[in-house]
Amino acid sequence: MQTEHLAEEAAASALVIFGASGDLTRRKLFPALYNLALSKALPSGFAAIGVARRPKSDASFAGEMKEGVERYSRSGPIDEAAWSRLAEGVAYVAGTFESPETYAALQARLSAFDASHGTSGSRVYYLAVAPQDVLGMVRALSDAGLLPRATREPGRPFARVVVEKPFGEDKASAQALSQQLYRYIDESQLYRIDHYLGKETIQNLIVLRFGNAIFEPLWNRNHVSHVEITVAEDIGIEGRGKFYERVGITRDIVQNHLLQLLTIVAMEPPVALDADAIRDEKVKVLRSIRPLSGEAVSANVVRGQYKKGQLGGEKVPGYREEPDVARDSTTDTFVAMRLFLDSWRWAGVPFFVRAGKRLSRRVAEVAVHFRAPPLSLFRGPSFAQRAPNALVIRVQPDESIELRFDTKVPGAGMAMEEAAMAFRYQTTFGGSSPEAYERLILDALRGDATLFTRADEVEAQWGFIDPILQAWRRKSAPLSFYESGTMGPVEADQLVATAGFTWRRP
Ligand code: BG6
């Protein structure tokens, strides 16, 4: 497995998870650590220490994490030997994030693990905490001597900080947060996570585009008519009313996951496959997005909110009926946009992107639609309305890549039907693909920041999103409603229809 190869470079270290009693730790981080342990991808000297307020013993923390693994791990019934290997290095430190005693207790546990597990003084701090706690925590770690600044001396212990999204709440606050963090750490120590970048299919986009000769010549305005990117979820806000009222789907998914996906679809070939070369190209894409502000927001962006409806045969409430949500809330749970990239490659090619909660199904995909043939030899009613060729990259579920084209229906006459050449991960590779967090945790341990977002990327993402949010605040753009269990408001269909297209039915 690829992860085993990567593990050769992951140095002995301790992973410290702040906010360890939260859902993310149980649902994602520990299942990821367990799967890394299972494939023997963790470094030989390794420990995982949870830090949170509630008092509990190492054993009860490990027990809770084991339940999380049993429930959420992709790899079936737990392998006791692999779990024990991981559990040997699991510990828990109780304490508030503000109190110096918490850091003293953490220091003691870390030193003990250095001696007993050979974690060698290197640390990765994973801050699974509210954005407003990040700065205080980094300052406290630094004051306690637990977070030394990066050094170029080879072989010295390292200290890195992984920060969950959202990073800031607009461009100014993201910029300010980075600047404040630089008082204690360098950019090279800061790993801003966007878990979409850890998804196999999204990484494979880089291989698909730059590891093959057949796609790249077509990947531009001469051959592509338009591109669709969909991140659809059937779940609602899952009890996160307070969070969603503050954030909305634009900050929760569009500003990060969706724009990151766009950058990888649209970027130029990097000069090398290293973190900075790739991120340089991604930033260029973000800077090339034609800004939308004022009137252009209403013309190019549809903001929606779900009403009650039916999903999987069950009645589900509307957004305004969810707990902790204002009865007259205008928070967005769906966004569709028409974007243009003012770049040589993409001039004039519309990108239609959408993200939504409580849609008819969970699906994330990219569809690159190619231009129609220059001249149609096939005339007559049966040839009207043919969909042009498309390359469809299914990010999840059922990860696949399909090339869709027309083919002749066997028999007399000349009838056509759409056919697909399909590559399915499951059929080709079997098993389940590693979860995004497996790859990202391993990369943080290895010190590879390629799949993490750099300061200028985050700022460019906010730079595009801020004026849209401002237009909404000025109430100059309408809010559309959609029934839960549909694919969003009709206005989103109209947005695409004005350009002569329809959304692909995923
Ligand atoms: C998170 C968002 O970042 O991504 C959630 O906060 C969303 O609202 C989730 O549900 C989607 O992730 P995935 O991997 O299930 O597509």
Side-chain angles (χ1 to χ4, degrees), residues 330-354:
T330 54
T331 299
D332 46 306
T333 63
F334 175 97
V335 169
M337 297 183 189
R338 172 178 35 205
L339 307 177
F340 286 96
L341 307 185
D342 287 329
S343 68
W344 201 264
R345 182 186 287 265
W346 294 115
V349 176
F351 283 69
F352 294 100
V353 302
R354 60 180 170 169

PDB file of all heavy atoms in Angstrom, residues 330-354:
ATOM      1  N   THR A 330     -32.104  33.660   7.601  1.00  0.00           N
ATOM      2  CA  THR A 330     -31.828  33.714   6.155  1.00  0.00           C
ATOM      3  C   THR A 330     -30.518  32.975   5.840  1.00  0.00           C
ATOM      4  O   THR A 330     -29.905  33.185   4.791  1.00  0.00           O
ATOM      5  CB  THR A 330     -31.718  35.172   5.663  1.00  0.00           C
ATOM      6  OG1 THR A 330     -30.740  35.828   6.469  1.00  0.00           O
ATOM      7  CG2 THR A 330     -33.037  35.898   5.748  1.00  0.00           C
ATOM      8  N   THR A 331     -30.090  32.127   6.764  1.00  0.00           N
ATOM      9  CA  THR A 331     -28.847  31.370   6.555  1.00  0.00           C
ATOM     10  C   THR A 331     -28.945  30.473   5.322  1.00  0.00           C
ATOM     11  O   THR A 331     -29.985  29.862   5.065  1.00  0.00           O
ATOM     12  CB  THR A 331     -28.570  30.510   7.815  1.00  0.00           C
ATOM     13  OG1 THR A 331     -28.412  31.398   8.901  1.00  0.00           O
ATOM     14  CG2 THR A 331     -27.324  29.655   7.655  1.00  0.00           C
ATOM     15  N   ASP A 332     -27.865  30.386   4.595  1.00  0.00           N
ATOM     16  CA  ASP A 332     -27.813  29.581   3.375  1.00  0.00           C
ATOM     17  C   ASP A 332     -27.478  28.127   3.701  1.00  0.00           C
ATOM     18  O   ASP A 332     -26.523  27.846   4.432  1.00  0.00           O
ATOM     19  CB  ASP A 332     -26.767  30.157   2.418  1.00  0.00           C
ATOM     20  CG  ASP A 332     -25.461  30.496   3.126  1.00  0.00           C
ATOM     21  OD1 ASP A 332     -25.522  31.250   4.129  1.00  0.00           O
ATOM     22  OD2 ASP A 332     -24.404  29.988   2.724  1.00  0.00           O
ATOM     23  N   THR A 333     -28.279  27.216   3.143  1.00  0.00           N
ATOM     24  CA  THR A 333     -27.946  25.783   3.247  1.00  0.00           C
ATOM     25  C   THR A 333     -27.720  25.209   1.848  1.00  0.00           C
ATOM     26  O   THR A 333     -27.524  24.011   1.673  1.00  0.00           O
ATOM     27  CB  THR A 333     -29.091  25.005   3.928  1.00  0.00           C
ATOM     28  OG1 THR A 333     -30.262  25.102   3.105  1.00  0.00           O
ATOM     29  CG2 THR A 333     -29.392  25.549   5.314  1.00  0.00           C
ATOM     30  N   PHE A 334     -27.807  26.082   0.858  1.00  0.00           N
ATOM     31  CA  PHE A 334     -27.571  25.693  -0.547  1.00  0.00           C
ATOM     32  C   PHE A 334     -26.996  26.905  -1.264  1.00  0.00           C
ATOM     33  O   PHE A 334     -27.451  28.031  -1.051  1.00  0.00           O
ATOM     34  CB  PHE A 334     -28.892  25.299  -1.220  1.00  0.00           C
ATOM     35  CG  PHE A 334     -28.754  24.997  -2.694  1.00  0.00           C
ATOM     36  CD1 PHE A 334     -28.628  23.684  -3.145  1.00  0.00           C
ATOM     37  CD2 PHE A 334     -28.744  26.024  -3.648  1.00  0.00           C
ATOM     38  CE1 PHE A 334     -28.491  23.408  -4.512  1.00  0.00           C
ATOM     39  CE2 PHE A 334     -28.599  25.747  -5.003  1.00  0.00           C
ATOM     40  CZ  PHE A 334     -28.477  24.439  -5.426  1.00  0.00           C
ATOM     41  N   VAL A 335     -25.998  26.660  -2.089  1.00  0.00           N
ATOM     42  CA  VAL A 335     -25.477  27.739  -2.930  1.00  0.00           C
ATOM     43  C   VAL A 335     -25.160  27.173  -4.308  1.00  0.00           C
ATOM     44  O   VAL A 335     -24.605  26.072  -4.416  1.00  0.00           O
ATOM     45  CB  VAL A 335     -24.189  28.349  -2.323  1.00  0.00           C
ATOM     46  CG1 VAL A 335     -23.506  29.269  -3.317  1.00  0.00           C
ATOM     47  CG2 VAL A 335     -24.510  29.137  -1.073  1.00  0.00           C
ATOM     48  N   ALA A 336     -25.568  27.887  -5.341  1.00  0.00           N
ATOM     49  CA  ALA A 336     -25.132  27.547  -6.702  1.00  0.00           C
ATOM     50  C   ALA A 336     -24.537  28.812  -7.294  1.00  0.00           C
ATOM     51  O   ALA A 336     -25.053  29.911  -7.058  1.00  0.00           O
ATOM     52  CB  ALA A 336     -26.303  27.070  -7.547  1.00  0.00           C
ATOM     53  N   MET A 337     -23.436  28.662  -8.032  1.00  0.00           N
ATOM     54  CA  MET A 337     -22.797  29.849  -8.608  1.00  0.00           C
ATOM     55  C   MET A 337     -22.347  29.581 -10.034  1.00  0.00           C
ATOM     56  O   MET A 337     -21.965  28.450 -10.360  1.00  0.00           O
ATOM     57  CB  MET A 337     -21.499  30.187  -7.858  1.00  0.00           C
ATOM     58  CG  MET A 337     -21.661  30.544  -6.429  1.00  0.00           C
ATOM     59  SD  MET A 337     -20.023  30.993  -5.784  1.00  0.00           S
ATOM     60  CE  MET A 337     -20.409  31.116  -4.061  1.00  0.00           C
ATOM     61  N   ARG A 338     -22.379  30.651 -10.816  1.00  0.00           N
ATOM     62  CA  ARG A 338     -21.724  30.596 -12.129  1.00  0.00           C
ATOM     63  C   ARG A 338     -20.446  31.426 -12.001  1.00  0.00           C
ATOM     64  O   ARG A 338     -20.490  32.611 -11.674  1.00  0.00           O
ATOM     65  CB  ARG A 338     -22.625  31.209 -13.199  1.00  0.00           C
ATOM     66  CG  ARG A 338     -21.903  31.358 -14.531  1.00  0.00           C
ATOM     67  CD  ARG A 338     -22.774  31.909 -15.621  1.00  0.00           C
ATOM     68  NE  ARG A 338     -23.722  32.888 -15.113  1.00  0.00           N
ATOM     69  CZ  ARG A 338     -24.878  33.169 -15.713  1.00  0.00           C
ATOM     70  NH1 ARG A 338     -25.226  32.553 -16.815  1.00  0.00           N
ATOM     71  NH2 ARG A 338     -25.693  34.079 -15.211  1.00  0.00           N
ATOM     72  N   LEU A 339     -19.319  30.770 -12.243  1.00  0.00           N
ATOM     73  CA  LEU A 339     -18.031  31.458 -12.094  1.00  0.00           C
ATOM     74  C   LEU A 339     -17.299  31.488 -13.420  1.00  0.00           C
ATOM     75  O   LEU A 339     -17.437  30.571 -14.234  1.00  0.00           O
ATOM     76  CB  LEU A 339     -17.122  30.691 -11.115  1.00  0.00           C
ATOM     77  CG  LEU A 339     -17.674  30.346  -9.742  1.00  0.00           C
ATOM     78  CD1 LEU A 339     -16.648  29.526  -8.973  1.00  0.00           C
ATOM     79  CD2 LEU A 339     -17.969  31.637  -9.010  1.00  0.00           C
ATOM     80  N   PHE A 340     -16.499  32.514 -13.585  1.00  0.00           N
ATOM     81  CA  PHE A 340     -15.585  32.549 -14.731  1.00  0.00           C
ATOM     82  C   PHE A 340     -14.176  32.737 -14.215  1.00  0.00           C
ATOM     83  O   PHE A 340     -13.962  33.498 -13.267  1.00  0.00           O
ATOM     84  CB  PHE A 340     -15.952  33.697 -15.678  1.00  0.00           C
ATOM     85  CG  PHE A 340     -17.195  33.410 -16.471  1.00  0.00           C
ATOM     86  CD1 PHE A 340     -18.426  33.884 -16.041  1.00  0.00           C
ATOM     87  CD2 PHE A 340     -17.132  32.627 -17.620  1.00  0.00           C
ATOM     88  CE1 PHE A 340     -19.579  33.592 -16.760  1.00  0.00           C
ATOM     89  CE2 PHE A 340     -18.282  32.329 -18.344  1.00  0.00           C
ATOM     90  CZ  PHE A 340     -19.505  32.807 -17.910  1.00  0.00           C
ATOM     91  N   LEU A 341     -13.236  32.030 -14.820  1.00  0.00           N
ATOM     92  CA  LEU A 341     -11.832  32.208 -14.452  1.00  0.00           C
ATOM     93  C   LEU A 341     -11.196  33.046 -15.542  1.00  0.00           C
ATOM     94  O   LEU A 341     -11.206  32.651 -16.717  1.00  0.00           O
ATOM     95  CB  LEU A 341     -11.118  30.855 -14.355  1.00  0.00           C
ATOM     96  CG  LEU A 341     -11.781  29.802 -13.455  1.00  0.00           C
ATOM     97  CD1 LEU A 341     -10.895  28.557 -13.345  1.00  0.00           C
ATOM     98  CD2 LEU A 341     -12.059  30.361 -12.079  1.00  0.00           C
ATOM     99  N   ASP A 342     -10.696  34.212 -15.166  1.00  0.00           N
ATOM    100  CA  ASP A 342     -10.069  35.064 -16.166  1.00  0.00           C
ATOM    101  C   ASP A 342      -8.617  34.627 -16.334  1.00  0.00           C
ATOM    102  O   ASP A 342      -7.693  35.248 -15.816  1.00  0.00           O
ATOM    103  CB  ASP A 342     -10.197  36.533 -15.758  1.00  0.00           C
ATOM    104  CG  ASP A 342     -11.636  37.006 -15.945  1.00  0.00           C
ATOM    105  OD1 ASP A 342     -12.321  36.487 -16.859  1.00  0.00           O
ATOM    106  OD2 ASP A 342     -12.095  37.860 -15.163  1.00  0.00           O
ATOM    107  N   SER A 343      -8.463  33.510 -17.031  1.00  0.00           N
ATOM    108  CA  SER A 343      -7.114  32.990 -17.288  1.00  0.00           C
ATOM    109  C   SER A 343      -7.054  32.571 -18.756  1.00  0.00           C
ATOM    110  O   SER A 343      -8.077  32.391 -19.406  1.00  0.00           O
ATOM    111  CB  SER A 343      -6.831  31.781 -16.397  1.00  0.00           C
ATOM    112  OG  SER A 343      -7.654  30.686 -16.770  1.00  0.00           O
ATOM    113  N   TRP A 344      -5.847  32.439 -19.245  1.00  0.00           N
ATOM    114  CA  TRP A 344      -5.649  32.067 -20.645  1.00  0.00           C
ATOM    115  C   TRP A 344      -6.370  30.763 -20.966  1.00  0.00           C
ATOM    116  O   TRP A 344      -7.031  30.610 -21.972  1.00  0.00           O
ATOM    117  CB  TRP A 344      -4.141  31.910 -20.874  1.00  0.00           C
ATOM    118  CG  TRP A 344      -3.728  32.010 -22.298  1.00  0.00           C
ATOM    119  CD1 TRP A 344      -3.528  30.969 -23.139  1.00  0.00           C
ATOM    120  CD2 TRP A 344      -3.465  33.195 -23.031  1.00  0.00           C
ATOM    121  NE1 TRP A 344      -3.157  31.423 -24.366  1.00  0.00           N
ATOM    122  CE2 TRP A 344      -3.105  32.790 -24.332  1.00  0.00           C
ATOM    123  CE3 TRP A 344      -3.502  34.561 -22.722  1.00  0.00           C
ATOM    124  CZ2 TRP A 344      -2.774  33.705 -25.321  1.00  0.00           C
ATOM    125  CZ3 TRP A 344      -3.175  35.461 -23.715  1.00  0.00           C
ATOM    126  CH2 TRP A 344      -2.816  35.035 -24.989  1.00  0.00           C
ATOM    127  N   ARG A 345      -6.254  29.796 -20.056  1.00  0.00           N
ATOM    128  CA  ARG A 345      -6.796  28.464 -20.284  1.00  0.00           C
ATOM    129  C   ARG A 345      -8.324  28.443 -20.279  1.00  0.00           C
ATOM    130  O   ARG A 345      -8.959  27.727 -21.042  1.00  0.00           O
ATOM    131  CB  ARG A 345      -6.274  27.517 -19.194  1.00  0.00           C
ATOM    132  CG  ARG A 345      -6.728  26.073 -19.341  1.00  0.00           C
ATOM    133  CD  ARG A 345      -6.294  25.232 -18.153  1.00  0.00           C
ATOM    134  NE  ARG A 345      -4.879  24.946 -18.130  1.00  0.00           N
ATOM    135  CZ  ARG A 345      -4.325  23.836 -18.615  1.00  0.00           C
ATOM    136  NH1 ARG A 345      -5.083  22.896 -19.159  1.00  0.00           N
ATOM    137  NH2 ARG A 345      -3.037  23.660 -18.543  1.00  0.00           N
ATOM    138  N   TRP A 346      -8.920  29.235 -19.369  1.00  0.00           N
ATOM    139  CA  TRP A 346     -10.354  29.050 -19.128  1.00  0.00           C
ATOM    140  C   TRP A 346     -11.227  30.227 -19.567  1.00  0.00           C
ATOM    141  O   TRP A 346     -12.424  30.238 -19.270  1.00  0.00           O
ATOM    142  CB  TRP A 346     -10.593  28.778 -17.631  1.00  0.00           C
ATOM    143  CG  TRP A 346      -9.999  27.482 -17.168  1.00  0.00           C
ATOM    144  CD1 TRP A 346      -8.989  27.331 -16.276  1.00  0.00           C
ATOM    145  CD2 TRP A 346     -10.371  26.166 -17.594  1.00  0.00           C
ATOM    146  NE1 TRP A 346      -8.699  25.993 -16.105  1.00  0.00           N
ATOM    147  CE2 TRP A 346      -9.535  25.260 -16.905  1.00  0.00           C
ATOM    148  CE3 TRP A 346     -11.310  25.648 -18.486  1.00  0.00           C
ATOM    149  CZ2 TRP A 346      -9.614  23.879 -17.081  1.00  0.00           C
ATOM    150  CZ3 TRP A 346     -11.398  24.274 -18.671  1.00  0.00           C
ATOM    151  CH2 TRP A 346     -10.556  23.407 -17.973  1.00  0.00           C
ATOM    152  N   ALA A 347     -10.654  31.207 -20.257  1.00  0.00           N
ATOM    153  CA  ALA A 347     -11.447  32.390 -20.636  1.00  0.00           C
ATOM    154  C   ALA A 347     -12.751  31.962 -21.310  1.00  0.00           C
ATOM    155  O   ALA A 347     -12.742  31.160 -22.249  1.00  0.00           O
ATOM    156  CB  ALA A 347     -10.629  33.268 -21.576  1.00  0.00           C
ATOM    157  N   GLY A 348     -13.863  32.455 -20.812  1.00  0.00           N
ATOM    158  CA  GLY A 348     -15.163  32.218 -21.438  1.00  0.00           C
ATOM    159  C   GLY A 348     -15.837  30.906 -21.065  1.00  0.00           C
ATOM    160  O   GLY A 348     -16.968  30.650 -21.481  1.00  0.00           O
ATOM    161  N   VAL A 349     -15.170  30.048 -20.289  1.00  0.00           N
ATOM    162  CA  VAL A 349     -15.781  28.755 -19.928  1.00  0.00           C
ATOM    163  C   VAL A 349     -16.498  28.909 -18.581  1.00  0.00           C
ATOM    164  O   VAL A 349     -15.853  29.178 -17.567  1.00  0.00           O
ATOM    165  CB  VAL A 349     -14.699  27.647 -19.795  1.00  0.00           C
ATOM    166  CG1 VAL A 349     -15.327  26.336 -19.336  1.00  0.00           C
ATOM    167  CG2 VAL A 349     -13.948  27.478 -21.103  1.00  0.00           C
ATOM    168  N   PRO A 350     -17.819  28.741 -18.556  1.00  0.00           N
ATOM    169  CA  PRO A 350     -18.482  28.871 -17.248  1.00  0.00           C
ATOM    170  C   PRO A 350     -18.233  27.650 -16.354  1.00  0.00           C
ATOM    171  O   PRO A 350     -18.237  26.514 -16.835  1.00  0.00           O
ATOM    172  CB  PRO A 350     -19.969  28.976 -17.605  1.00  0.00           C
ATOM    173  CG  PRO A 350     -20.108  28.517 -19.001  1.00  0.00           C
ATOM    174  CD  PRO A 350     -18.763  28.543 -19.666  1.00  0.00           C
ATOM    175  N   PHE A 351     -18.019  27.913 -15.097  1.00  0.00           N
ATOM    176  CA  PHE A 351     -17.938  26.861 -14.085  1.00  0.00           C
ATOM    177  C   PHE A 351     -19.205  26.985 -13.229  1.00  0.00           C
ATOM    178  O   PHE A 351     -19.418  28.031 -12.610  1.00  0.00           O
ATOM    179  CB  PHE A 351     -16.701  27.035 -13.192  1.00  0.00           C
ATOM    180  CG  PHE A 351     -15.420  26.596 -13.835  1.00  0.00           C
ATOM    181  CD1 PHE A 351     -14.872  27.298 -14.891  1.00  0.00           C
ATOM    182  CD2 PHE A 351     -14.758  25.459 -13.376  1.00  0.00           C
ATOM    183  CE1 PHE A 351     -13.689  26.884 -15.496  1.00  0.00           C
ATOM    184  CE2 PHE A 351     -13.576  25.033 -13.978  1.00  0.00           C
ATOM    185  CZ  PHE A 351     -13.043  25.745 -15.044  1.00  0.00           C
ATOM    186  N   PHE A 352     -20.027  25.952 -13.243  1.00  0.00           N
ATOM    187  CA  PHE A 352     -21.219  25.948 -12.396  1.00  0.00           C
ATOM    188  C   PHE A 352     -20.917  25.093 -11.186  1.00  0.00           C
ATOM    189  O   PHE A 352     -20.598  23.900 -11.330  1.00  0.00           O
ATOM    190  CB  PHE A 352     -22.414  25.376 -13.156  1.00  0.00           C
ATOM    191  CG  PHE A 352     -22.834  26.242 -14.313  1.00  0.00           C
ATOM    192  CD1 PHE A 352     -22.453  25.926 -15.618  1.00  0.00           C
ATOM    193  CD2 PHE A 352     -23.591  27.384 -14.095  1.00  0.00           C
ATOM    194  CE1 PHE A 352     -22.815  26.739 -16.677  1.00  0.00           C
ATOM    195  CE2 PHE A 352     -23.963  28.195 -15.153  1.00  0.00           C
ATOM    196  CZ  PHE A 352     -23.579  27.879 -16.442  1.00  0.00           C
ATOM    197  N   VAL A 353     -20.992  25.704 -10.018  1.00  0.00           N
ATOM    198  CA  VAL A 353     -20.668  24.944  -8.806  1.00  0.00           C
ATOM    199  C   VAL A 353     -21.864  25.017  -7.862  1.00  0.00           C
ATOM    200  O   VAL A 353     -22.584  26.015  -7.841  1.00  0.00           O
ATOM    201  CB  VAL A 353     -19.393  25.497  -8.123  1.00  0.00           C
ATOM    202  CG1 VAL A 353     -18.216  25.475  -9.063  1.00  0.00           C
ATOM    203  CG2 VAL A 353     -19.593  26.908  -7.591  1.00  0.00           C
ATOM    204  N   ARG A 354     -22.088  23.958  -7.118  1.00  0.00           N
ATOM    205  CA  ARG A 354     -23.206  23.981  -6.155  1.00  0.00           C
ATOM    206  C   ARG A 354     -22.886  23.103  -4.959  1.00  0.00           C
ATOM    207  O   ARG A 354     -22.167  22.092  -5.080  1.00  0.00           O
ATOM    208  CB  ARG A 354     -24.518  23.531  -6.804  1.00  0.00           C
ATOM    209  CG  ARG A 354     -24.456  22.143  -7.358  1.00  0.00           C
ATOM    210  CD  ARG A 354     -25.781  21.709  -8.004  1.00  0.00           C
ATOM    211  NE  ARG A 354     -25.556  20.450  -8.734  1.00  0.00           N
ATOM    212  CZ  ARG A 354     -26.508  19.689  -9.222  1.00  0.00           C
ATOM    213  NH1 ARG A 354     -27.764  20.033  -9.092  1.00  0.00           N
ATOM    214  NH2 ARG A 354     -26.210  18.573  -9.857  1.00  0.00           N
TER     215      ARG A 354
END
